[in-house]
Amino acid sequence: MRDFLVAGNWKMNGSIAANAELASGIVEGVPQGGGFRLLVCPPFPYLAMVGDILQGSNVALGAQNVSDRESGAFTGETAPSMLKDVGCEFVIVGHSERRALYGETDDAVAAKFMATQSAGMIPILCLGETLEEREAGTTAEVIDRQFDAVVDMAGVSAFEDAVIAYEPVWAIGTGMTATPEQAQDVHKHIRARLAGLDVGLAEKIQILYGGSMKGDNAPGLLGMPDIDGGLIGGASLKASDFLAIAAAAVQS
Ligand code: 13P
């Protein structure tokens, strides 16, 4: 049985005061029970501060992006070792907003995936199709292309220390959640593709769902056999909303 991972992607939101309150609210409300882990990914300026608040709790710290370079003249970039230094255990790579708005290619995402692991952190690799791609019937093709780019560069064994997040672009921030069956279909496809390369890794890897996940739809999504948690945007910005999703992840 895989544990659930419930991850909050705070995106570009908050302030010192708001993010301290959010982090404290989450730490104070972590549900009793086991079989799950929580993770928050604040904007860069708040990582260290939020990390301090999370100390000693069951809530991990992660970043939303990373450079694929180690150090030097790369103005505005953040090295993997710096994220590790401030306490990050996870890094989101290849979020669709990075791909669509900042031109990150499949290969750039693969390089960030590898750089994250080189610094001793776990990449959360985001995969997902747009509405046009889904309507054109190319969902599997798009997911395979995004996934294969990482396998080709990093090798399949790299998935030993990685998480995958399926985030259909059309469900992100739209309130239009994939149904549990729609999400399960794609999760199953991703796991089968990995199983074609390594059955043991496919059984082990956590595949999270992201896209308008909320407390009320979380039980249905998390009840599907291949959905191992959530990557949550909007509903991760209020402690009670995030904790309602976390409650759905408690396994008896
Ligand atoms: P929403 O939960 O706001 O749809 O965002 C999902 C997401 O992009 C998480 O990375």
Side-chain angles (χ1 to χ4, degrees):
M1 187 75 184
R2 294 176 292 270
D3 277 0
F4 284 117
L5 178 64
V6 177
N9 174 7
W10 294 0
K11 305 192 181 182
M12 197 171 73
N13 289 293
S15 61
I16 291 178
N19 288 340
E21 188 186 330
L22 177 55
S24 306
I26 291 169
V27 167
E28 283 158 20
V30 176
Q32 296 291 315
F36 72 98
R37 184 129 197 246
L38 303 185
L39 163 69
V40 294
C41 302
F44 286 149
Y46 307 110
L47 281 170
M49 176 198 84
V50 169
D52 284 345
I53 296 169
L54 303 181
Q55 283 290 329
S57 78
N58 179 27
V59 187
L61 184 70
Q64 301 172 19
N65 186 24
V66 66
S67 171
D68 63 343
R69 308 303 173 96
E70 203 25 71
S71 68
F74 302 103
T75 302
E77 293 292 302
T78 305
S81 59
M82 297 172 181
L83 298 177
K84 176 80 176 166
D85 202 20
V86 297
C88 289
E89 286 182 59
F90 294 85
V91 181
I92 298 170
V93 299
H95 191 280
S96 63
E97 287 150 17
R98 301 292 322 164
R99 294 178 190 262
L101 303 174
Y102 300 97
E104 286 189 11
T105 62
D106 293 334
D107 283 352
V109 172
K112 290 181 178 204
F113 180 102
M114 290 182 71
T116 298
Q117 289 188 330
S118 299
M121 297 176 292
I122 297 174
I124 300 177
L125 171 65
C126 299
L127 312 173
E129 82 288 4
T130 63
L131 187 58
E132 295 69 41
E133 290 163 341
R134 172 162 283 261
E135 286 175 345
T138 57
T139 299
E141 197 181 301
V142 171
I143 300 287
D144 291 351
R145 192 202 73 225
Q146 294 171 337
F147 174 71
D148 291 355
V150 180
V151 174
D152 290 347
M153 198 183 287
V156 68
S157 61
F159 284 84
E160 182 80 47
D161 294 305
V163 173
I164 294 174
Y166 169 55
E167 296 209 314
V169 179
W170 48 272
I172 296 177
T174 58
M176 218 165 93
T177 323
T179 63
E181 293 74 23
Q182 278 175 323
Q184 166 60 23
D185 276 355
V186 181
H187 282 234
K188 190 174 168 195
H189 173 84
I190 295 168
R191 201 178 301 283
R193 193 149 183 101
L194 184 54
L197 302 168
D198 187 315
V199 176
L201 284 187
E203 272 308 304
K204 245 186 72 187
I205 198 157
Q206 289 170 311
I207 307 179
L208 316 183
Y209 168 78
S212 299
M213 198 172 191
K214 309 256 182 300
D216 57 1
N217 59 33
L221 288 159
L222 297 180
M224 302 311 276
D226 289 299
I227 301 183
D228 309 312
L231 182 53
I232 298 123
S236 73
L237 297 176
K238 211 171 134 196
S240 57
D241 291 347
F242 186 64
L243 291 168
I245 299 171
V250 178
Q251 308 191 62
S252 49

